[in-house]
Amino acid sequence: MSGIESILKETRSFPPSDDFRQKAVIPGMEAYNALCDQANGQYLSFWGDMARELLSWKKPFSRVLDESAAPFFKWFDDGQLNVSYNCIDRHLAQNANKIALIFEADDGAVTRVTYAELHRRVCQFANGLKSLGIKKGDRVVIYMPMVIEAIVAMQACARIGAIHSVVFGGFSAGALRDRVQDAGARLLITANEGLRGGKGVPLKATTDEAIALGGCDTVEHVVVYRRTDSEPAWDANRDVWWHQLVEKQPEQCEPEWMNAEDPLFILYTSGSTGKPKGIQHSTAGYLLGAINSFRWVFDYRPNDVFWCTADVGWITGHTYVCYGPLGNGATQVIFEGVPTYPDATRFWRMIERHKVSLFYTAPTAIRSLIKLGADAPKQFDLSSLRVLGTVGEPINPEAWMWYYEVVGGGRCPIVDTWWQTETGSAMIAPLPGAVPTKPGSCTLPLPGVMADIVDESGAPVEAGKGGFLVIKKPFPSLVRTIWGDPERFKKTYFPEEFDGKFYLAGDSAHRDENGYFWIMGRIDDVLNVSGHRLGTMEIESALVANPLVAEAAVVGKPHEIKGEAVVAFVVLKGPRPQGDEARKVADNLKQWVAHEIGKIAQPDEIRFGENLPKTRSGKIMRRLLRSLARGEEIVQDVSTLENPQILQQLQESA
Ligand code: WT7
């Protein structure tokens, strides 16, 4: 860890305007500090009061936190509630006709759904699920495009107490199969096709392929939403059309009253080793994190139009599409397509068209749009914007300044939100009416988040020094366990090095003299490609599953747009290929990985060697590979290498 040196030196600071501050949910640093003091002094009543104020309970809880089985914490655990009731029903008395969803399809067609209409659709689909025998505790995998029905499916699961596990529509059959199998899903929900950038995505065909791979015996039915006219292959004993399922269902469905700690969903995410981890979130604690952070971080007010560009396949699409905005009764845009179709002005056009006031996207999207038209936003009326957000990776100060000036017109605070699939909701982010922002920093923890940076002994590090980012107290929306693997949960997140006391985020970070947090990167073998977490092990396993490959090692290297690019070092079973032959094999292997995991994991570059650089004990020298990938001079000690010649081989891209 001593190798972690902080390098960023950014001194610009942007406080909110007086006008913004005065109207804000948290108006100024005094208000922010007062909340922090409250949380520090009375941690349990701080969260208890918040849970009573922001959530509607069927049965109130009597205890805020149970730590007896730490790190398996329980929050509000004798209370009962329903997430779908909190996201929909409770808004109906005042806001039945308020727009909940503004859906813009790939082709630009717009559909608006009110809270009353959403209620009807969710109830009917929930009744449909029940008619298929789905009940509380059953797992339902959702493999859907970014359409209204994806939200309906998630909310319907929450309504009847089924545990959903959304799998990103860009994942391959193999990745889908692994997740279905691990979750033991009884039902799969998909669409015949998705539509992205004018092209069909064959979701049903991939679903069939996943099931054909075997290991999905728990799946009884596949519900298929008809998005396009294409006719999918059909298994009449197993497949059910969505529209036929809901046709005659009653428009009311009594919510299943859940215990606060009942699982709400599982979402798989990459780890450094082994298979993806099923991150299990709770009902009440998760929802509280989603609802509260949404109003704080985006300074949500009832007339806002919120747009988060994330897909529901990621945690951002859970917390800041499906649950946070609806839990607050907000109006939000959801978008089926891609930012570059029909051209790279799509985002700016949509902000103007729907008068978006709160906009939340990823640094990688910002960087690619700068490249495709740095002046493009100026052609549009973006004056509706009030707050801009980013998530997924550190944002480089140049992109931050462009976002601030060109998109936000210098008026809109930028909320750089640090969090993870595991934390469930934003942890470190500026409250926009209070905390002055600095380009590249996620600034300060939300009140009630005890974030710190420590060294390997668990002692806090001084300002400017890098260390491990940890959270020192249990938090309502924190992951409860890894589905089916509580031991891995404990080892990964509450490791013994810190006496099992701190939540270890897996990121390195440092703090500046103002206490601002700067995220520096991962401490494990996890890549961050376009804001998505990819385990190097997963990609390596996919590569060695190819009959030609004997050995593979994957590392990241900086990439202008994607943040990190995937570089694979490969040893074939046969002779090391060269020239055209090498290029051909490399292309095949790239396609292979796209097919095995999904296009997001496809290596950008493949290099072939007769061997990989290893230590005497046989461990691959990843640091060396990282230097090679970056084209850096090798300064490490290579005296233990058996065959230094391979370093030269590994310098050449196929
Ligand atoms: C990892 C979590 C949280 C939703 C999106 C990704 C990185 C996330 C930031 C940020 C710097 C960030 C971290 C984190 N990350 N947000 N604002 N600044 N890094 O969720 O797939 O669970 O990945 O993304 O490395 O650990 P995820």
Side-chain angles (χ1 to χ4, degrees):
M1 274 304 284
S2 51
I4 297 181
E5 290 300 327
S6 49
I7 38 167
L8 267 167
K9 280 273 168 285
E10 172 63 58
T11 51
R12 288 171 287 194
S13 170
F14 299 83
S17 69
D18 288 343
D19 183 53
F20 190 102
R21 180 173 47 75
Q22 279 154 16
K23 294 179 189 147
V25 174
I26 310 294
M29 278 311 273
E30 274 172 33
Y32 167 80
N33 286 326
L35 281 167
C36 291
D37 290 347
Q38 238 175 314
N40 291 339
Q42 298 284 328
Y43 194 67
L44 295 186
S45 62
F46 174 83
W47 284 114
D49 291 349
M50 190 104 79
R52 276 181 285 266
E53 184 199 333
L54 296 179
L55 303 182
S56 302
W57 296 85
K58 180 71 174 177
K59 173 175 171 264
F61 56 89
S62 65
R63 170 168 62 178
V64 174
L65 175 64
D66 174 2
E67 300 186 82
S68 58
F72 300 93
F73 300 104
K74 292 182 183 154
W75 286 86
F76 322 116
D77 69 323
D78 61 348
Q80 285 188 339
L81 75 171
N82 178 279
V83 166
S84 156
Y85 178 90
N86 272 271
C87 290
I88 306 173
D89 304 46
R90 65 169 172 163
H91 309 312
L92 296 180
Q94 305 282 321
N95 285 311
N97 295 322
K98 182 172 178 177
I99 303 292
L101 303 174
I102 303 170
F103 169 63
E104 182 162 320
D106 192 52
D107 68 1
V110 171
T111 309
R112 291 185 171 77
V113 179
T114 63
Y115 274 91
E117 168 72 7
L118 184 62
H119 180 261
R120 190 182 64 74
R121 291 201 197 194
V122 168
C123 286
Q124 282 195 310
F125 191 66
N127 286 325
L129 293 177
K130 283 190 189 174
S131 76
L132 294 174
I134 301 301
K135 50 181 196 334
K136 178 175 171 177
D138 286 342
R139 274 82 62 206
V140 172
V141 164
I142 299 175
Y143 185 61
M144 288 280 277
M146 193 58 194
V147 293
I148 294 165
E149 285 70 17
I151 315 262
V152 170
M154 293 165 81
Q155 288 284 346
C157 287
R159 194 163 191 92
I160 66 170
I163 303 168
H164 63 66
S165 181
V166 184
V167 176
F168 173 55
F171 276 130
S172 70
L176 175 60
R177 191 274 309 266
D178 294 347
R179 287 158 176 76
V180 168
Q181 189 174 24
D182 190 79
R186 286 188 70 190
L187 186 80
L188 239 154
I189 304 172
T190 189
N192 60 338
E193 273 191 309
L195 278 175
R196 283 168 68 79
K199 293 196 201 83
V201 183
L203 295 170
K204 172 63 164 64
T206 309
T207 301
D208 290 343
E209 199 187 325
I211 294 176
L213 288 172
C216 303
D217 301 341
T218 51
V219 175
E220 293 164 21
H221 290 103
V222 177
V223 175
V224 185
Y225 169 65
R226 187 189 272 289
R227 176 69 190 100
T228 66
D229 292 336
S230 89
E231 287 302 334
W234 203 255
D235 176 345
N237 290 322
R238 188 197 68 192
D239 300 343
V240 184
W241 282 112
W242 176 300
H243 56 274
Q244 288 175 357
L245 181 66
V246 298
E247 217 166 31
K248 295 198 176 73
Q249 296 297 342
E251 297 184 4
Q252 296 291 333
C253 174
E254 173 72 6
E256 184 80 34
W257 300 107
M258 305 296 284
N259 281 94
E261 278 295 322
D262 283 336
L264 176 63
F265 65 84
I266 305 165
L267 182 62
Y268 286 86
T269 190
S270 298
S272 51
T273 53
K275 55 180 185 166
K277 301 176 279 194
I279 300 302
Q280 179 183 317
H281 278 290
S282 69
T283 293
Y286 169 80
L287 187 65
L288 180 61
I291 289 179
N292 182 55
S293 63
F294 178 73
R295 74 182 178 124
W296 274 358
V297 171
F298 296 102
D299 188 47
Y300 168 68
R301 303 170 203 172
N303 291 330
D304 276 315
V305 177
F306 178 71
W307 181 21
C308 165
T309 64
D311 189 278
V312 286
W314 312 111
I315 189 68
T316 311
H318 284 59
T319 306
Y320 299 110
V321 179
C322 190
Y323 294 114
L326 294 178
N328 279 281
T331 296
Q332 71 177 313
V333 173
I334 62 170
F335 176 42
E336 180 179 34
V338 297
T340 49
Y341 179 82
D343 62 46
T345 65
R346 185 73 183 258
F347 276 6
W348 324 127
R349 199 177 293 278
M350 283 181 62
I351 290 170
E352 177 183 270
R353 183 180 193 189
H354 303 298
K355 302 199 167 43
V356 172
S357 57
L358 316 173
F359 180 64
Y360 192 31
T361 196
T364 182
I366 297 168
R367 287 192 297 266
S368 72
L369 293 176
I370 293 174
K371 197 151 187 191
L372 293 169
D375 289 329
K378 294 179 186 155
Q379 303 161 34
F380 299 91
D381 177 6
L382 306 183
S383 60
S384 57
L385 287 171
R386 230 163 49 72
V387 178
L388 300 173
T390 71
V391 63
E393 54 179 313
I395 180 165
N396 47 311
E398 306 86 87
W400 195 102
M401 286 308 301
W402 179 86
Y403 199 30
Y404 185 75
E405 279 167 355
V406 181
V407 179
R411 288 183 328 276
C412 308
I414 292 186
V415 291
D416 175 344
T417 60
W418 178 86
W419 57 296
Q420 310 176 292
T421 305
E422 292 88 341
T423 68
S425 60
M427 297 276 111
I428 310 179
L431 301 187
V435 180
T437 54
K438 297 186 191 184
S441 168
C442 53
T443 74
L444 301 174
L446 268 57
V449 176
M450 306 306 172
D452 203 351
I453 299 168
V454 300
D455 63 20
E456 42 277 88
S457 72
V461 300
E462 57 189 280
K465 282 268 156 53
F468 301 104
L469 180 55
V470 295
I471 298 171
K472 291 187 157 173
K473 269 183 191 271
F475 184 88
S477 72
L478 201 62
V479 47
R480 291 301 189 264
T481 189
I482 294 176
W483 179 258
D485 203 345
E487 271 312 304
R488 188 174 177 198
F489 166 79
K490 255 169 113 166
K491 259 200 250 149
T492 311
Y493 300 119
F494 292 90
E496 271 162 25
E497 289 95 300
F498 304 136
D499 300 328
K501 285 210 166 66
F502 301 160
Y503 168 78
L504 179 69
D507 282 335
S508 59
H510 79 271
R511 243 176 321 191
D512 66 19
E513 59 283 3
N514 304 121
Y516 277 44
F517 284 72
W518 298 77
I519 307 297
M520 293 153 66
R522 297 286 306 185
I523 55 172
D524 50 18
D525 288 324
V526 168
L527 306 183
N528 190 332
V529 179
S530 301
H532 298 306
R533 235 205 280 185
L534 297 173
T536 51
M537 260 278 289
E538 274 171 276
I539 308 176
E540 288 161 7
S541 310
L543 282 166
V544 295
N546 185 291
L548 295 178
V549 176
E551 236 186 334
V554 165
V555 300
K557 80 167 184 190
H559 185 278
E560 205 189 331
I561 303 229
K562 300 201 275 191
E564 242 175 332
V566 179
V567 181
F569 295 89
V570 172
V571 182
L572 297 185
K573 287 176 187 158
R576 171 175 180 263
Q578 290 184 22
D580 280 349
E581 172 66 10
R583 271 187 292 279
K584 225 173 69 198
V585 182
D587 283 346
N588 286 339
L589 290 178
K590 286 177 191 175
Q591 279 169 30
W592 170 269
V593 173
H595 180 263
E596 289 291 295
I597 308 177
K599 220 170 153 67
I600 42 168
Q602 183 172 310
D604 296 80
E605 203 183 316
I606 294 187
R607 301 185 184 189
F608 295 103
E610 280 157 10
N611 204 341
L612 296 175
K614 290 182 188 150
T615 62
R616 241 176 248 151
S617 60
K619 242 183 120 187
I620 295 172
M621 297 171 78
R622 286 177 178 279
R623 277 222 250 171
L624 204 63
L625 292 179
R626 251 173 246 136
S627 304
L628 282 171
R630 287 158 198 235
E632 292 163 2
E633 214 182 309
I634 304 295
V635 289
Q636 289 97 334
D637 176 19
V638 293
S639 57
T640 53
L641 270 186
E642 266 177 73
N643 179 1
Q645 227 175 286
I646 57 161
L647 291 186
Q648 205 186 330
Q649 293 177 355
L650 294 173
Q651 268 157 11
E652 294 164 29
S653 281

